[in-house]
Amino acid sequence: MHRSAGATMAWNVFRFCTALRGLGSIMILLVLSIVGVTYYAVVVYNYGPALFAGGASTLLALVVLLLFHFLLVMLLWSYFSVVFTDPGSVPPNWNLDFDEERGETAPLSGLDFNSQVNSQQSIAHNDTGHPRARYCRKCNQMKPPRCHHCSVCGRCVLKMDHHCVWVVNCVGALNYKYFLLFLFYTFLETTLVTLSLLPHFIAFFSDIDIPGSPAALATTFLTFVLNLAFSLSVLGFMIMHAYEKKTTPRWMYDIGRKRNFIQVFGNDKRYWFIPAYSEEDLRRMPVLQGLDYPVRTDLDGQEL
């Protein structure tokens, strides 16, 4: 018996998702390996010994090493925050009907539930233009606005952006800020390493005799190439990530640059550049929980 094309495609996608789940520890080890190689090339082999050279070389080495270690700490802090922070799951028995007097979510009646489940629209809107819940047939549960099903994680993720193999996790409502900070500090760190190793890289193509073992020289060369590639790649990804929503000129969740920024990074400026939120922001900003988002009221109903 021959399988249909649809069944074959579904089976292949499932196998692909299973393979991505198996990459978990390998990707973390790969990231740590790149960090280790970079640390050896910058600190152990090149700029660590330069601290004792005296004069301008010592001052330059001190500045490079201080910046390198600061950015490395922030990079790893952001990275592991993304890895170990759950991006956000739909609470059990969640629904969009809200009882303001009781201050809690009211259960859907059977009629209301069936009417939402059987709806063929990807999203419905009430009379005020605000989004209503959708239904995930894979998880058999209601989905809040901006929530999507991840085939790799096998569950619905709040404000799902994408599944990132580098962080072995989905990027969603609860770790989106940490992911952006990881990109930010990765770009700064790799740019610093690229610039600091540029003179050594140029020396490879000159007639100057370069001291050091072949293995150490090869490590320096490899580190420069890797960090240059990552710096350019992350820069391109951040630009794409910042403007991908601009392809939809009338997007219901685009409420202005300042308010969009605050929804991700919070109101407290002291926490903007660290992978954490203040207690006050977590208490006073429901958007940080990934279940409720303000929308533009000047737009008609849109599909997510």
Side-chain angles (χ1 to χ4, degrees), residues 31-299:
V31 170
L32 294 179
S33 298
I34 295 173
V35 170
V37 170
T38 301
Y39 194 91
Y40 174 81
V42 174
V43 179
V44 177
Y45 180 66
N46 287 290
Y47 285 92
L51 280 175
F52 307 99
S57 297
T58 297
L59 180 60
L60 176 62
L62 181 62
V63 172
V64 169
L65 291 176
L66 287 176
L67 287 175
F68 177 85
H69 283 91
F70 170 75
L71 292 176
L72 181 61
V73 169
M74 298 307 297
L75 185 158
L76 291 177
W77 183 9
S78 301
Y79 176 73
F80 285 110
S81 294
V82 185
V83 172
F84 294 114
T85 300
D86 190 298
S89 300
V90 182
N93 300 320
W94 179 89
N95 66 75
L96 199 61
D97 289 352
F98 190 80
D99 189 329
E100 295 182 358
E101 182 178 353
R102 295 190 326 189
E104 62 185 11
T105 303
L108 285 173
S109 66
L111 181 61
D112 291 336
F113 182 83
N114 290 331
S115 64
Q116 293 195 46
V117 170
N118 294 329
S119 174
Q120 298 301 314
Q121 298 179 350
S122 62
I123 184 168
H125 289 76
N126 56 26
D127 294 337
T128 62
H130 292 281
R132 299 196 66 189
R134 297 162 297 153
Y135 186 78
C136 178
R137 298 186 181 278
K138 296 180 180 179
C139 297
N140 293 320
Q141 64 181 9
M142 307 303 296
K143 293 196 299 184
R146 307 182 75 175
C147 177
H148 301 282
H149 185 88
C150 175
S151 298
V152 180
C153 296
R155 63 187 175 104
C156 287
V157 176
L158 300 179
K159 193 189 173 185
M160 178 184 172
D161 189 84
H162 69 290
H163 187 95
C164 181
V165 295
W166 287 100
V167 301
V168 202
N169 200 0
C170 263
V171 178
L174 305 187
N175 64 356
Y176 184 61
K177 172 188 175 181
Y178 310 156
F179 178 73
L180 293 181
L181 289 177
F182 167 59
L183 293 181
F184 176 69
Y185 288 117
T186 297
F187 173 71
L188 293 181
E189 179 78 322
T190 53
T191 300
L192 173 66
V193 172
T194 300
L195 294 176
S196 63
L197 294 183
L198 181 59
H200 305 276
F201 181 78
I202 295 175
F204 280 105
F205 302 96
S206 65
D207 296 330
I208 303 175
D209 291 332
I210 306 175
S213 65
L217 296 177
T219 301
T220 299
F221 186 92
L222 176 64
T223 300
F224 175 85
V225 173
L226 282 175
N227 280 268
L228 176 61
F230 276 112
S231 178
L232 295 177
S233 299
V234 172
L235 177 61
F237 184 83
M238 288 193 297
I239 294 175
M240 179 195 71
H241 209 73
Y243 288 97
E244 63 179 352
K245 298 302 182 182
K246 298 300 181 181
T247 57
T248 305
R250 291 169 59 83
W251 193 45
M252 61 185 298
Y253 293 109
D254 185 1
I255 56 176
R257 292 183 179 180
K258 183 177 180 180
R259 293 180 65 190
N260 289 344
F261 180 87
I262 290 176
Q263 282 193 47
V264 176
F265 289 88
N267 278 308
D268 196 330
K269 298 179 181 179
R270 297 173 300 173
Y271 288 80
W272 280 359
F273 295 101
I274 62 174
Y277 291 102
S278 67
E279 291 293 333
E280 183 177 4
D281 279 351
L282 291 175
R283 184 175 64 254
R284 299 182 61 180
M285 297 182 64
V287 68
L288 297 181
Q289 307 304 321
L291 295 172
D292 185 28
Y293 296 94
V295 298
R296 296 174 57 177
T297 57
D298 59 334
L299 300 179

